[in-house]
Amino acid sequence: MLVLYSNPLSSPANKIRFLLHYLAIPYELKIVNIAAGEQQQSDFLKINPYGKIPAIDDNGFRLAESNAILRYLADKHHSNLYPKNLEERAIVEQWLDFAANHISTATAKVMFNTYFYRLKGATKDERSLQDGRLWLDNYLPMLEKQLAKQAYIAGNNLTIADFSLLAALDAVELININLTPYPYLKAWRQNLMAESFYQDCHSSYAAAFKAAVGTMLDEATN
Ligand SMILES: N[C@@H](CCC(=O)N[C@@H](CS)C(=O)NCC(=O)O)C(=O)O
């Protein structure tokens, strides 16, 4: 059976869970305790030598990088979430890259410098925090423009780019990003979050985050 190495607080890992549930692919979930450094232990480094989750072991075939895993699983299961047509597929690639390079990177900068730096005993980087917020101010309007003219980010059909973007935006409540100025983006997100593939993973990222690290953050702050 497919094994997914994951953690409830990892958005790149959660996007794989969204896809697995959407496609009803059976899998075994192995939680990697990042706070305890399990991703750097020899057992996990055999799965992903550079020590990051998500990673999969599909009956001996091992793969890391969340977008590569999305493509592999969608293709393997002959899903139209990853179109075969060259141009349609290229548009999906475009929005996968956009979500990774402009949205996920930005939310990660803000999340790290709002919460995770305290848990890691690191120093808050104000410049990185402001960069992350500025990127979101710049790039969320582009998502809004797309979703004002079509139902999904890469066209009128759901694709793996939507799963990637949904995960990239999962922490918006925690970092106080107000989506009210982006009504189409907000509605797209709310609709997908109401679907069972999402609810199977968590009711919301904010709830999962608070359940997992709420008290640790209080302790780190005091
Ligand atoms: N580009 C990678 C990012 C993976 C990543 O940064 N994973 C984080 C968790 S969200 C991780 O494993 N961090 C552990 C560490 O850096 O030690 C992907 O999309 O899969």
Side-chain angles (χ1 to χ4, degrees):
M1 187 190 289
L2 175 80
V3 179
L4 171 66
Y5 294 84
S6 185
N7 184 289
L9 298 189
S10 166
S11 294
N14 287 336
K15 74 170 94 154
I16 310 301
R17 297 194 65 206
F18 298 159
L19 180 70
L20 289 168
H21 285 268
Y22 186 87
L23 294 177
I25 300 170
Y27 69 101
E28 181 189 343
L29 184 64
K30 286 206 175 156
I31 303 291
V32 179
N33 186 339
I34 293 183
E38 280 178 12
Q39 73 279 16
Q40 293 301 340
Q41 289 172 6
S42 59
D43 280 356
F44 183 73
L45 293 176
K46 285 180 201 143
I47 306 297
N48 179 6
Y50 57 86
K52 299 267 182 193
I53 57 162
I56 58 167
D57 185 337
D58 191 10
N59 297 305
F61 175 66
R62 292 168 179 168
L63 190 64
E65 285 300 325
S66 58
N67 284 348
I69 297 170
L70 288 182
R71 294 182 182 99
Y72 165 77
L73 290 172
D75 253 356
K76 179 174 177 180
H77 294 271
H78 310 289
S79 170
N80 53 13
L81 291 171
Y82 190 37
K84 296 273 184 278
N85 171 277
L86 180 63
E87 290 184 0
E88 287 174 22
R89 181 169 280 212
I91 298 292
V92 172
E93 303 294 5
Q94 175 185 325
W95 289 105
L96 280 171
D97 286 356
F98 187 95
N101 295 330
H102 301 313
I103 306 297
S104 195
T105 306
T107 50
K109 282 176 192 284
V110 182
M111 276 300 282
F112 187 85
N113 290 296
T114 306
Y115 297 107
F116 289 125
Y117 81 96
R118 285 189 266 164
L119 299 174
K120 291 203 163 196
T123 306
K124 181 178 191 169
D125 183 338
E126 281 292 347
R127 173 78 195 268
S128 173
L129 177 65
Q130 293 316 321
D131 277 354
R133 291 201 171 276
L134 188 66
W135 287 20
L136 290 168
D137 286 345
N138 284 341
Y139 297 125
L140 293 180
M142 295 176 195
L143 298 176
E144 178 68 3
K145 206 170 154 200
Q146 279 299 105
L147 292 165
K149 63 178 185 189
Q150 60 197 33
Y152 297 101
I153 197 63
N156 275 318
N157 297 312
L158 183 72
T159 70
I160 53 174
D162 294 286
F163 292 98
S164 210
L165 186 59
L166 188 63
L169 290 170
D170 228 4
V172 292
E173 286 82 7
L174 284 171
I175 54 176
N176 293 323
I177 301 294
N178 180 12
L179 294 185
T180 308
Y182 314 112
Y184 288 97
L185 176 62
K186 193 174 175 181
W188 164 90
R189 180 171 180 259
Q190 279 174 346
N191 289 340
L192 290 179
M193 286 174 72
E195 298 248 357
S196 57
F197 74 80
Y198 183 93
Q199 294 292 320
D200 287 345
C201 183
H202 50 220
S203 60
S204 73
Y205 183 85
F209 183 88
K210 283 176 189 152
V213 301
T215 51
M216 283 165 69
L217 274 173
D218 292 343
E219 283 160 18
T221 311
N222 292 330

